[in-house]
Amino acid sequence: MNTSPTIAHERCQPLEHAYQQILTQLSALKLHPQLRTVGEGELCVQVCLHNAQSIEVARGAGKGLLAAARVGALYEALEHYLSDDLHASPLHRQVCGYFTGHPSFFDDSVLALLVAQREDAIVCRTYHSLVDDTPFSYPLALTCPRYCEQPLHDDLTDLRALRRYSSNSGTAIGATRDEAVLHALNESIERDALSLFLLEHFYYRYPLGLHRVDPESLDPDAAGVLQALSRQFNAEVVLLDISREFCATTCLAFINTPTSLPAVYGTGTSLTPTHAAWRALTELAQLQMLATEPPLRRHLLNAQRHLARFPRLQRCLQFAPVHLMAQPIKWVQLHRRKACADLVEQITCLVDDLARHGLRPGVCSLFQSPLGTTLVNVVVPGLERFFLVSTGNVVVPQQRGRRLCSQTQVTIA
């Protein structure tokens, strides 16, 4: 394993220290990891966690070169294990009128599915605003898909329609709380950008063109991954900048080859543009490798069947490269700007930027150990959830996506 003391982007400690911490953490929880390497070159590592009875309790996957992939897979597996604990933080009940009168929820139109039921006992967790630490309630059913399948016995809320929009996006683990919060914020912004990209190019099919990243503007790490993937798959690797109005950069990477299954792609978001590109490219490598194995292939086939009766949604799921590459292309440069190494300053930058756009992110701590290992869930009411179409869910654009429709029609008229 690489024992370089260099601290990776958006991490607070060297990789070797993070590796030792996660092994110690798993041991303290009486969990035993089993690691498996998938592919060659740009690696994907899978981890299965087993409890003291040797029963598998969670899985995770990591991307990048071997050292980083191992650490990422171990942390992700623990994240999945801990996320299944519905009582990881205290639960309470909230009246539906709370969500209609709270200014933070003005654009979070998925809440209308709850409010319409007029239930006076919506199960919630408490979040604290990252803007001013003000507490607020948010429905557990929207942040924990497992709850939609196994609600509390006395919860009378009809969750059937809501489960399509339930997502653990914004749930992240880190060696420290700051690591976890930063990763969760970046993921929330990333999923919003992906949602709007799918809406523009496949759902509404607006001829807006693509912002394709010039490989010459990448740093050596990202450029190396792009070249390695092109050789490995003997195909053109396309890297796009799909950033929206926020200060963080979001990149998307895919392979320009036809496929009968839904095409897999990678996304990444960071205040450091070239790190966003690296994350997108390494995630693409990870998913390309996993797509050759039965579990992901079955998932993709099931998603196709679920959306077979919904042509516009199926276009979004299929993600046909031939359609994208027929669009006008504008080559763009990724600035080699380095984000501040201090994680608190990065968090502040993201939070202040979201607040300038009228969005108030909140955080709920789900787990924190004496070692520092922390799991959080961040919600940003008002960001778009349409990315869930890529899992085979029958979803429609929310307020932000519908507003995008009217804005884009004006733009191209």
Side-chain angles (χ1 to χ4, degrees):
M1 180 170 182
N2 180 12
T3 58
S4 168
T6 303
I7 297 178
H9 285 280
E10 298 161 1
R11 301 286 182 186
C12 66
Q13 57 183 240
L15 199 58
E16 177 64 24
H17 292 179
Y19 180 63
Q20 294 302 325
Q21 178 172 322
I22 189 63
L23 291 181
T24 303
Q25 185 66 71
L26 292 173
S27 178
L29 294 170
K30 297 181 171 55
L31 298 172
H32 309 286
Q34 181 180 2
L35 285 78
R36 181 174 74 96
T37 299
V38 183
E40 301 176 356
E42 293 303 317
L43 297 170
C44 168
V45 172
Q46 276 193 322
V47 167
C48 294
L49 291 183
H50 298 84
N51 61 17
Q53 291 73 43
S54 299
I55 298 171
E56 183 181 316
V57 292
R59 290 189 178 194
K63 54 185 178 283
L65 296 175
L66 183 58
R70 281 177 175 170
V71 172
L74 288 163
Y75 274 93
E76 184 177 273
L78 181 57
E79 174 186 319
H80 292 166
Y81 173 76
L82 295 172
S83 298
D84 279 343
D85 182 3
L86 298 179
H87 298 279
S89 65
L91 305 178
H92 65 278
R93 314 283 175 128
Q94 189 60 266
V95 298
C96 64
Y98 171 85
F99 299 103
T100 58
H102 200 295
S104 293
F105 305 135
F106 177 75
D107 271 349
D108 204 359
S109 53
V110 73
L111 290 171
L113 294 171
L114 277 173
V115 173
Q117 298 184 49
R118 301 188 178 278
E119 289 287 347
D120 288 335
I122 297 171
V123 177
C124 297
R125 281 174 170 156
T126 298
Y127 290 74
H128 287 267
S129 168
L130 287 165
V131 177
D132 57 14
D133 202 39
T134 303
F136 64 89
S137 301
Y138 201 77
L140 177 62
L142 285 175
T143 62
C144 186
R146 182 168 174 262
Y147 183 73
C148 293
E149 306 299 329
Q150 298 177 332
L152 298 178
H153 68 90
D154 59 345
D155 185 354
L156 302 179
T157 310
D158 185 352
L159 301 176
R160 288 174 295 179
L162 203 69
R163 66 169 56 124
R164 294 177 288 148
Y165 298 94
S166 182
S167 168
N168 59 8
S169 179
T171 300
I173 196 168
T176 66
R177 184 179 186 276
D178 290 338
E179 271 191 14
V181 171
L182 180 58
H183 295 159
L185 282 167
N186 279 331
E187 181 174 84
S188 299
I189 295 167
E190 174 186 312
R191 299 290 171 79
D192 174 78
L194 173 60
S195 296
L196 299 183
F197 181 85
L198 294 173
L199 284 168
E200 285 180 337
H201 292 281
F202 294 104
Y203 191 81
Y204 300 130
R205 279 192 165 177
Y206 292 140
L208 298 178
L210 304 175
H211 289 170
R212 186 170 180 181
V213 175
D214 182 353
E216 295 296 323
S217 67
L218 299 177
D219 65 12
D221 287 342
V225 177
L226 190 151
Q227 293 165 6
L229 284 177
S230 297
R231 291 192 301 268
Q232 182 174 349
F233 298 108
N234 192 28
E236 180 183 29
V237 177
V238 180
L239 180 65
L240 305 178
D241 184 343
I242 64 167
S243 307
R244 306 308 298 190
E245 66 267 39
F246 307 120
C247 62
T249 296
T250 300
C251 288
L252 183 150
F254 65 92
I255 294 178
N256 184 22
T257 55
T259 173
S260 58
L261 285 174
V264 298
Y265 48 84
T267 52
T269 294
S270 176
L271 285 170
T272 305
T274 53
H275 186 58
W278 181 87
R279 290 188 62 84
L281 289 163
T282 53
E283 183 172 277
L284 171 64
Q286 176 189 50
L287 293 176
Q288 279 289 134
M289 294 168 192
L290 292 178
T292 64
E293 302 197 330
L296 183 52
R297 289 182 65 85
R298 283 196 299 267
H299 170 77
L300 295 173
L301 287 169
N302 286 336
Q304 275 185 324
R305 286 193 289 269
H306 291 164
L307 299 184
R309 294 184 294 113
F310 307 95
R312 287 210 290 181
L313 297 181
Q314 194 164 61
R315 290 201 305 259
C316 300
L317 171 69
Q318 289 295 129
F319 197 90
V322 66
H323 170 71
L324 287 177
M325 298 307 291
Q327 305 304 307
I329 291 177
K330 177 183 178 181
W331 289 90
V332 297
Q333 302 284 314
L334 279 190
H335 300 296
R336 297 192 184 185
R337 181 183 75 239
K338 289 188 176 181
C340 175
D342 186 87
L343 302 190
V344 174
E345 290 186 29
Q346 291 187 57
I347 292 168
T348 300
C349 180
L350 292 173
V351 170
D352 289 350
D353 183 56
L354 288 167
R356 282 193 293 271
H357 290 92
L359 299 167
R360 295 173 63 82
V363 62
C364 176
S365 293
L366 305 179
F367 174 84
Q368 189 161 27
S369 80
L371 292 172
T373 309
T374 305
L375 177 72
V376 302
N377 178 243
V378 165
V379 296
V380 188
L383 290 185
E384 182 56 59
R385 294 172 176 263
F386 187 76
F387 72 92
L388 289 167
V389 72
S390 62
T391 63
N393 282 331
V394 180
V395 294
V396 298
Q398 297 303 299
Q399 184 75 9
R400 182 161 158 82
R402 294 196 292 270
R403 190 161 56 239
L404 171 71
C405 175
S406 59
Q407 290 173 343
T408 309
Q409 285 176 331
V410 170
T411 301
I412 67 176

